[in-house]
Amino acid sequence: MEKHRTDSQVRGVSTGTTILAAVFDGGVVIGSDSRASIGGEYVSTKTINKVIQVHDQIFCCMAGSLADAQAVIKAAKYHLSFHSVQMDSPPLVIAAASVLKELCYKDKEELQAGFITAGWDKKNGPQVYVVSLGGMLVRQAITIGGSGSTYIYGYVDAKYKPNMTREECLQFATNALALAMGRDNVSGGVANLVVITEKGVEHVVVPGDKLPRFHDE
């Protein structure tokens, strides 16, 4: 008798738990939780870093299939490194987002990967771009994604303000991730955050026991 695999067995590992990026006055914050799931039900790892550096001052967050997202990022890093050598200057943030968009769109029938791209460059300053699963590219001041994002749209709409300070934006991002982790069954672990400004890059890790507490206390 032929055995049929269940949906959870067919699905690959997903990174789409909770990811976000927000522009503040002079820079941008990009971050995520640290869990990956299978089928939106089973947490396969609690320690994945979904905030990936693709160039000196450009980072992206992964969503969708982990294998697809990692393959796209590997290719994007190669393209951006080659582009930087050709131009004898760091790539623009829009260039990095466009590379990811082209890679996703070219194989949109096979790939299940989307990205938030954030960074700073001399031409346009701090920027955030969303590359959807099908390869659509949109610039936004604030964006959230993943299964946990459905619980924090109201918070983000109410609390995000243009031209926030670095400290205000970092606290905003930390609170948003903490709220999503508290509600979403496959979001959790630690909050991995990166602050990108003209001066450089700062990594911030907030352990789970140090995250703000809201409804669950």
Side-chain angles (χ1 to χ4, degrees):
M1 181 176 178
E2 183 181 357
K3 294 183 179 180
H4 295 280
R5 293 181 294 174
T6 64
D7 287 345
S8 60
Q9 289 173 314
V10 173
R11 294 170 186 153
V13 178
S14 168
T15 60
T17 44
T18 306
I19 57 177
L20 61 80
V23 173
F24 64 89
D25 186 17
V28 61
V29 173
I30 183 170
S32 75
D33 72 315
S34 63
R35 287 184 180 176
S37 62
I38 295 177
E41 300 167 355
Y42 169 70
V43 176
S44 57
T45 177
K46 298 179 181 180
T47 56
I48 186 171
N49 182 9
K50 289 172 272 187
V51 186
I52 308 298
Q53 187 172 22
V54 293
H55 209 269
D56 295 345
Q57 289 176 283
I58 306 173
F59 285 72
C60 70
C61 279
M62 305 180 292
S65 164
L66 178 59
D68 290 351
Q70 288 178 330
V72 170
I73 287 175
K74 184 177 180 179
K77 283 183 176 181
Y78 170 80
H79 282 288
L80 291 172
S81 178
F82 187 68
H83 174 75
S84 179
V85 172
Q86 281 186 314
M87 302 300 293
D88 195 27
S89 64
L92 300 177
V93 181
I94 182 63
S98 296
V99 167
L100 289 167
K101 180 204 74 170
E102 291 298 328
L103 291 169
C104 289
Y105 182 76
K106 182 178 66 174
D107 295 311
K108 62 182 181 294
E109 300 299 330
E110 288 78 29
L111 293 177
Q112 288 294 319
F115 303 90
I116 296 174
T117 307
W120 186 96
D121 61 50
K122 291 182 179 180
K123 184 176 181 180
N124 297 308
Q127 302 145 74
V128 171
Y129 295 93
V130 180
V131 179
S132 70
L133 293 178
M136 182 179 69
L137 177 62
V138 180
R139 182 175 180 177
Q140 296 182 316
I142 168 70
T143 187
I144 56 178
S147 58
S149 67
T150 58
Y151 300 99
I152 57 173
Y153 275 103
Y155 175 82
V156 170
D157 288 343
K159 296 297 184 181
Y160 177 77
K161 296 177 178 61
N163 301 316
M164 287 193 292
T165 65
R166 173 196 173 281
E167 289 72 23
E168 288 173 338
C169 193
L170 191 57
Q171 189 62 58
F172 162 79
T174 303
N175 288 348
L177 288 173
L179 285 165
M181 291 180 194
R183 293 289 188 187
D184 183 32
N185 65 319
V186 290
S187 293
V190 305
N192 290 308
L193 297 154
V194 176
V195 183
I196 312 164
T197 63
E198 181 180 5
K199 295 180 179 178
V201 172
E202 178 188 357
H203 295 262
V204 179
V205 178
V206 184
D209 60 350
K210 301 296 183 183
L211 287 168
R213 300 295 180 189
F214 298 97
H215 54 82
D216 53 349
E217 283 295 323

